[in-house]
Amino acid sequence: MTNSSVLEFLSSRRSSKVTGLCEPAPSPEEIEKILEIGMRVPDHGKYCPWYFIVFEGEARKEAGELLRQAYQAENPEAAKAKLDLEAENFLRAPLVIAVVSRIREGKHSQWEQILSAGAACYNLCLAANSMGYGSNWLTQWYSYSDMFKKLMGLDKRDHFAGFIYIGAKSETNEERPRPLASDIVTYWSKLAPSLNKGDTYGMVGHGFPVAGAQFIEEQ
Ligand SMILES: Cc1cc2nc3c(=O)[nH]c(=O)nc-3n(C[C@H](O)[C@H](O)[C@H](O)COP(=O)(O)O)c2cc1C
């Protein structure tokens, strides 16, 4: 079975700027569906190596107070205006879903479990987009804040994979530069084994470091 509307959807999808999201939030039934689709991702070993935290309505404000506390503890010099701004992060969209990567015991690698959490983030975006809502996958400082993680009840096995901001769209999403297949795709053959690693894309100025980039664990 082919589905040209799905192909068209995937070919044109784009994140919304978080400033381009507004009320209304998806309905409770839609949220349930978005979460269900978020769980429907490849998961080697069926570990369920992720869980979701939904922030909606007043809860966004209450969680914002935890953001304030964490920011203040980690930036004791911060002015009140800056703390107020940080406390409003979750108010930027009517619905925010955090995806937490939770490492499970088992023979399958942590790397694969983390990849599955990334897939969950993307599926949440796709589900919301397919209902006509905009979305944006952000991490920002609070994903890496030990204090915020502690205040939220995460433990050592837990990492925020992202916060998915969802809402109605108040503006059209503009396209952004993308790599070309010739930058990053290699149709491998033993006669021409060199790989297109995307470094040409970086060199034309779209932004990622060509030299000096290292795998995260080597930094
Ligand atoms: C794991 C991850 C974390 C991100 N965190 C941020 C962030 O903190 N701030 C930001 O401005 N963009 C962040 N982004 C980028 C936005 O999601 C951006 O909207 C997206 O890359 C646009 O892609 P698209 O045009 O294909 O939708 C992040 C993306 C990913 C995959």
Side-chain angles (χ1 to χ4, degrees), residues 15-206:
S15 303
S16 298
K17 287 188 197 139
V18 79
T19 48
L21 298 174
C22 61
E23 299 284 345
S27 68
E29 295 73 28
E30 286 174 320
I31 294 174
E32 218 172 287
K33 192 74 192 161
I34 289 169
L35 294 169
E36 185 189 316
I37 292 170
M39 294 174 224
R40 197 178 175 85
V41 291
D43 163 9
H44 193 181
K46 303 183 211 55
Y47 289 172
C48 183
W50 21 255
Y51 62 93
F52 304 156
I53 309 169
V54 178
F55 302 95
E56 54 177 351
E58 275 299 292
R60 295 171 303 154
K61 215 168 170 181
E62 290 157 6
E65 289 310 310
L66 304 183
L67 289 176
R68 180 197 298 278
Q69 275 182 49
Y71 196 86
Q72 187 162 32
E74 291 168 3
N75 304 274
E77 308 301 319
K80 182 175 177 304
K82 175 68 175 160
L83 296 174
D84 289 346
L85 194 69
E86 295 302 339
E88 287 178 1
N89 268 310
F90 297 146
L91 295 173
R92 292 178 294 172
L95 173 68
V96 183
I97 303 174
V99 174
V100 184
S101 155
R102 181 163 177 80
I103 299 299
R104 310 286 181 194
E105 295 293 332
K107 64 179 180 175
H108 300 298
S109 74
Q110 296 190 8
W111 168 238
E112 294 184 5
Q113 296 187 42
I114 293 164
L115 290 173
S116 181
C121 290
Y122 188 49
N123 253 27
L124 290 171
C125 291
L126 291 182
N129 300 157
S130 68
M131 293 173 183
Y133 296 99
S135 68
N136 201 325
W137 174 356
L138 301 179
T139 41
Q140 305 205 291
W141 65 267
Y142 35 89
S143 288
Y144 305 100
S145 161
D146 288 338
M147 176 70 132
F148 183 65
K149 285 157 78 174
K150 193 167 161 208
L151 290 169
M152 281 302 303
L154 275 64
D155 64 34
K156 278 197 313 206
R157 295 158 61 189
D158 298 338
H159 294 92
F160 285 115
F163 290 80
I164 313 302
Y165 287 74
I166 296 170
K169 288 194 257 187
S170 63
E171 60 189 31
T172 316
N173 303 335
E174 281 168 27
E175 196 35 272
R176 69 171 173 89
R178 307 273 169 188
L180 299 171
S182 55
D183 291 321
I184 58 115
V185 177
T186 304
Y187 288 84
W188 191 87
S189 110
K190 70 177 180 185
L191 298 175
S194 74
L195 305 179
N196 290 320
K197 297 186 176 182
D199 296 347
T200 45
Y201 173 74
M203 276 191 281
V204 295
H206 292 310

Side-chain angles (χ1 to χ4, degrees), residues 1-19:
M1 192 181 83
T2 60
N3 193 329
S4 58
S5 58
V6 174
L7 283 178
E8 169 55 28
F9 165 70
L10 290 174
S11 304
S12 58
R13 62 138 293 281
R14 247 240 80 184
S15 303
S16 298
K17 287 188 197 139
V18 79
T19 48

